[in-house]
Amino acid sequence: VHSWDTEVIDIVIKNFSPIGSGKIISAQRFAGPAVDFGNGPRLFIDNFGNAHDLILLFKNYSEDESIKKGWFNYGFDRHVFWQNGIDCVGFGGDAMHMAR
């Protein structure tokens, strides 16, 4: 399971829901000791400013159901990925819900 988390701006919370807003400014991925991105198993994706569409390079990966992805808040992160044109599938777990 590859772990993901995002940082987001432009969230408009009306009626206690961020649906319809939010832009990913960064995403972090941890893939475990078997994966090396050239600097270890951690990957930081800057998606802000001039790099605003860099996250789209991960579209095929994110939409591959065979690759299981773990999240801290899946409902929120899946929503903001969707807002940015990516349909995340391959749910592997949600640490926030497991912590409950």
Side-chain angles (χ1 to χ4, degrees), residues 85-96:
I86 299 173
D87 184 13
C88 288
V89 295
F91 178 75
D94 185 328
M96 186 175 78

Side-chain angles (χ1 to χ4, degrees), residues 4-44:
W4 279 93
D5 193 25
T6 62
E7 300 303 326
V8 178
I9 60 171
D10 296 338
I11 293 290
V12 179
I13 299 178
K14 293 180 179 178
N15 300 324
F16 303 101
S17 173
I19 301 298
S21 65
K23 295 177 188 168
I24 297 172
I25 61 169
S26 70
Q28 303 79 40
R29 175 179 164 197
F30 179 77
V35 176
D36 187 349
F37 296 109
N39 199 21
R42 292 172 185 84
L43 182 65
F44 178 84

